[in-house]
Structure formats: C-alpha cells, structure tokens
Amino acid sequence: MRDAYHEELDAIGDNLVEMARFVGSAIGRATTAMLDADLKLAEAVIAADDKVDEMHRSLENAAIALLARQQPVATDLRIVVTSLRMSADLERCGDLAQHVAKVARLRYPDSAVPRELSATILEMGQLAQRLMAKATEVLITKDVDLAMQLEQDDDEMDSLHRTLFGHLLDDRWHHGIETAVDVTLLGRYYERFADHAVSIARRMVYLVTGEHADELLSEPEATA
Amino acid sequence: MRDAYHEELDAIGDNLVEMARFVGSAIGRATTAMLDADLKLAEAVIAADDKVDEMHRSLENAAIALLARQQPVATDLRIVVTSLRMSADLERCGDLAQHVAKVARLRYPDSAVPRELSATILEMGQLAQRLMAKATEVLITKDVDLAMQLEQDDDEMDSLHRTLFGHLLDDRWHHGIETAVDVTLLGRYYERFADHAVSIARRMVYLVTGEHADELLSEPEATA
C-alpha cells in the first residue's frame, strides 16, 4: 500500500515526465515552425513556454513542501533533490525551444534556414526531440542502459553541429552574416537542449547506481 | 552562540561566495586572454574550471548532508534549496568563462575579436565581471536593493549585445563568417553569464522578501 508520502514522491516523478513530454514536443514544433516559416505555430510554441515555467515552479514548490513535511533521508532525499535539478533542466529546455521559435518569428515570412541547411537543422531538431523522448523513458523506467545510450546520441548531435559549421565556413557560403548568426545560434540552442536531456539521463544513472555516467564509460571528460 | 547546524549553513554560504568570486575572476581573465590573444592565460582559465566543478559538487554534497542530518524546515530549508540552485548557476558561469577562453585558444595567435569590436567585447566582459561582483556582494549582505540593481545592469548587457549585432550586421562587415560565428557565440556567452548573475540576485530577493524580483519591479516579463 502506498502512503501519502510515496504518493507525493510519485506525483513529483509524474510531473517531471509531463514536463519532459511537453518540452520534447515543443522543440519538435519549434523546428517545424522554423523550417516551414509557420508563424502561427511559432507563436504557439512561444506562448506555451509559460506552461513549462508554471510546471517548473509548481514542481519546486511540491518538492520543497515534501522536504519540509516528510523530511526524507538517504535515497528518498536524493530523489527529491535530483528532481529539483531535472526540473531546472527541463525548464531550460522549454526556454531553448522558445528561442528556436523566436528565430522563426523574427524571420517570418522567410525561413531562417537556407534550403541546403534545412536537412541538417531538421536532423538536429529531430535528434533533440528523440533525446528528450529517451530521457522521458529514462524518467519512467529508471533504465540505466537506456540512460547510457544518450551519451552516444549526444555524439551524433556534436557531429551534426560540426556539419552545420562546415556549411557556415564553406567558401561558397553566400547567405550573408545575418543568416550565419541565426544558424550559429540555432546550432547552439539544439546543442544545449541535447545537453540538458543527457544531463537528466546522467542524473538518473547517478541516482540508481551511485556512480557518474562518465565513470561508468571510463571517460574522464564531463559535460561542459 | 552558533550551533553546529548554523555553522554548516554558514559554511555553505561561504562556499557560494568563494565560487562567485572565482567565476567572476575567471570571466575577467578569459576576456583578457581573448583580447590579448594570451594563450597561457586562456589555458589557465580552461584548467581552472575543474576547480569550479569541484566546488559545486562539494557544495551539493554538503547541502544534501545537511538536509539529511538536520532536516531544516521553513526559511532554513529554503536557504539550502536556494543555495543548491545558486551553486548550479555559478557552475554554469564557470563553464561560460571556459567557453570564452576556448575561443581565445582556438584562434591563437590571432585574437578572435576584430579591433573595432574589442571595446564592446571588453565592456561586456567587464560588465559580466561587475555583475558577478555585485551578486557576490548580494550573497554576503542579502541586500535586496543591491540585488534589484542587477536588473538594470542586465539591461546594459542587452544594450551591448545589440551594439555587437549592429557591427555584425553592418554592410561594412569584412571579417568573414568565421569571425562572425565567434563573435555571435561570445556575445551569447556573456549574455548567459549575466543572466546567471541576475538569477542569483533574484533568488536572494525571493528568499529575503518572499516576492519575485519581477513582481517588485511590477514588470510582467521574467528571464527567458
């Protein structure tokens, strides 16, 4: 039988899952809005970030209330503190999806992204959404193997990021500086979104195993 | 008389102050390294980020240990949770200083910044350092008026950021795409650094007054 305490803890977990689904959808829709120059969709993504901020605040309050009332120790305490951090990651992902949508709105009725880059940007957007879908799955299942997969997926994001820079720095670039600035920032937004998804997975690995993901991979480098 | 509990709480506060001083110095040194194309200084800033990460981890562990052992409630609980968030802000500031230093290293022996932009970048670097110095002061004094000043200082950062974009998008820009990409990212790093300093000040305002800084300013917009 679940007591009130574990019900509260579960509710916090459920809210994280809901936030993760929400921001995963937001980055997908922001990417579509940008590639299709869809102003209405961009506006919708921009407005929807309020909901993420609200979920974040509400989760924080629930976590603090639980700490105060139930005074968890050991693993339960770590779960609550980790949830606070994950919520902050997700809140930031909401901001990043909003930033992508704002670039779409700024350049409307044009698309911010030149045609020869749209495949790469689409891949980055889809990968970001996939990473968040996996992070969501990790939140639900606490599956460490799945969590470790996100490290590899993030390498793919780095590789896409390099492709993007390859285009930018190609002598044949003829889209001017403004577009170069847009593309640079977009690349950064997707990269950071992915970093936060990976960070959620890493926090879960640490929570479950007590070891850092990079130690398990025996790589000395941590996320910058 | 101070009991062990309040000594632990004070120690966490002291560590935050130390971290804030450290990253404030790091962003200043990273800016110098970049403008002077000083490889040795850039390397030093890059290496020093390990220390910030270590301070962050150690602060987190101390905070969690304190939560477990002392089970604070009400204001003390909020102080501990807020400290965790501030530590995350500061850890991120360390990363951003490192990113600036990495741009310096990448472009060495050149400077990443064209001569006509160096005044603006210098101002951004100095403002970032000043914002962090004020945030440090806010951590020490819990002075709400001072904390509210950071909102205005951040407007100044936005204005410098616009100046930077003005140069980039000027038809007379002749430094090519690579430099435009560098400058775009540098602008973003300083802006984010400032955001985190402001965020620390806001968290203090909320801790002391129970109200959000933006409510006190009666501005509807929060940081994205």
Side-chain angles (χ1 to χ4, degrees):
Chain A
M1 212 195 83
R2 312 295 290 157
D3 51 24
Y5 169 47
H6 283 96
E7 268 173 25
E8 277 183 63
L9 207 54
D10 287 349
I12 288 174
D14 292 346
N15 287 347
L16 280 177
V17 169
E18 197 196 343
M19 275 181 89
R21 287 207 173 114
F22 199 93
V23 301
S25 156
I27 196 74
R29 297 196 307 149
T31 306
T32 303
M34 196 180 41
L35 294 175
D36 298 354
D38 182 336
L39 182 62
K40 229 167 146 178
L41 187 57
E43 295 282 11
V45 174
I46 292 165
D49 190 48
D50 282 351
K51 167 105 166 106
V52 181
D53 294 344
E54 196 192 299
M55 287 192 273
H56 173 55
R57 256 192 305 272
S58 141
L59 195 148
E60 285 198 332
N61 290 335
I64 291 172
L66 188 146
L67 287 173
R69 256 203 321 274
Q70 310 280 4
Q71 313 214 320
V73 292
T75 306
D76 285 349
L77 173 57
R78 288 219 167 247
I79 291 174
V80 179
V81 172
T82 302
S83 300
L84 281 169
R85 290 192 201 125
M86 288 173 166
S87 181
D89 281 317
L90 292 167
E91 190 268 334
R92 189 73 203 133
C93 286
D95 291 342
L96 292 164
Q98 192 188 45
H99 289 346
V100 171
K102 281 185 174 171
V103 175
R105 181 171 70 179
L106 188 64
R107 298 307 168 209
Y108 178 83
D110 295 324
S111 167
V113 177
R115 195 177 297 267
E116 73 263 32
L117 280 186
S118 50
T120 307
I121 290 286
L122 178 63
E123 274 195 78
M124 291 180 93
Q126 289 183 339
L127 181 57
Q129 195 173 357
R130 232 154 50 227
L131 274 159
M132 191 49 75
K134 275 195 194 176
T136 311
E137 209 46 36
V138 167
L139 286 171
I140 296 169
T141 61
K142 303 184 173 46
D143 180 337
V144 170
D145 291 332
L146 184 65
M148 301 297 287
Q149 273 183 32
L150 274 86
E151 305 282 336
Q152 274 77 54
D153 296 335
D154 195 38
D155 292 344
E156 208 184 312
M157 184 62 91
D158 291 341
S159 152
L160 287 167
H161 209 190
R162 277 192 297 274
T163 304
L164 203 65
F165 275 106
H167 283 286
L168 277 172
L169 302 179
D170 191 306
D171 287 339
R172 285 161 298 175
W173 179 266
H174 59 278
H175 300 289
I177 299 290
E178 186 175 80
T179 303
V181 168
D182 284 347
V183 168
T184 300
L185 289 175
L186 287 169
R188 180 89 189 140
Y189 299 150
Y190 287 116
E191 190 197 23
R192 290 296 300 150
F193 189 99
D195 285 345
H196 287 289
V198 172
S199 152
I200 288 168
R202 285 186 181 163
R203 296 185 202 284
M204 184 60 83
V205 169
Y206 186 69
L207 198 60
V208 173
T209 67
E211 295 202 64
H212 291 288
D214 51 351
E215 289 163 3
L216 292 177
L217 285 169
S218 57
E219 280 175 10
E221 181 132 282
T223 317
Chain B
M1 213 192 83
R2 310 298 288 159
D3 51 25
Y5 169 48
H6 283 98
E7 269 174 24
E8 276 183 65
L9 207 54
D10 288 349
I12 288 173
D14 291 347
N15 287 346
L16 280 177
V17 169
E18 198 196 344
M19 275 181 89
R21 287 206 172 114
F22 199 94
V23 301
S25 155
I27 197 73
R29 297 196 308 149
T31 306
T32 304
M34 196 180 43
L35 294 176
D36 298 354
D38 181 337
L39 182 62
K40 231 168 147 176
L41 186 58
E43 295 281 12
V45 174
I46 292 165
D49 189 48
D50 281 351
K51 168 106 165 106
V52 181
D53 294 344
E54 198 191 298
M55 286 191 274
H56 174 55
R57 255 192 304 273
S58 142
L59 194 146
E60 286 199 330
N61 290 336
I64 291 171
L66 187 145
L67 287 174
R69 255 201 325 271
Q70 311 279 4
Q71 314 213 316
V73 291
T75 305
D76 284 350
L77 173 58
R78 289 220 165 244
I79 292 174
V80 179
V81 172
T82 302
S83 301
L84 281 169
R85 291 194 200 123
M86 289 173 166
S87 180
D89 281 318
L90 292 167
E91 190 268 335
R92 189 71 204 137
C93 286
D95 291 341
L96 291 164
Q98 192 189 44
H99 289 346
V100 171
K102 281 185 175 172
V103 175
R105 181 170 73 179
L106 187 66
R107 300 303 169 211
Y108 178 84
D110 295 323
S111 168
V113 176
R115 192 177 300 265
E116 73 263 32
L117 280 186
S118 49
T120 307
I121 289 284
L122 178 62
E123 274 194 79
M124 290 180 95
Q126 289 182 339
L127 179 58
Q129 194 173 358
R130 229 154 51 227
L131 273 159
M132 190 51 75
K134 276 195 192 173
T136 311
E137 209 48 34
V138 167
L139 286 171
I140 297 169
T141 61
K142 302 184 175 47
D143 181 335
V144 170
D145 291 330
L146 184 64
M148 300 298 287
Q149 273 184 30
L150 275 88
E151 306 283 334
Q152 274 77 58
D153 296 336
D154 196 37
D155 292 344
E156 206 184 317
M157 184 61 92
D158 291 341
S159 150
L160 286 167
H161 208 190
R162 278 192 297 274
T163 304
L164 203 64
F165 276 106
H167 282 289
L168 276 171
L169 302 180
D170 192 304
D171 287 340
R172 285 161 296 176
W173 179 266
H174 59 276
H175 301 289
I177 300 289
E178 186 173 83
T179 303
V181 168
D182 283 349
V183 168
T184 301
L185 289 175
L186 287 168
R188 180 88 190 140
Y189 299 151
Y190 287 116
E191 189 197 23
R192 291 296 301 151
F193 189 99
D195 286 344
H196 286 289
V198 172
S199 152
I200 288 169
R202 286 186 181 166
R203 295 184 202 287
M204 185 59 84
V205 170
Y206 186 68
L207 199 59
V208 173
T209 67
E211 295 203 62
H212 292 288
D214 51 353
E215 289 162 2
L216 292 178
L217 285 170
S218 57
E219 277 175 12
E221 181 133 285
T223 318

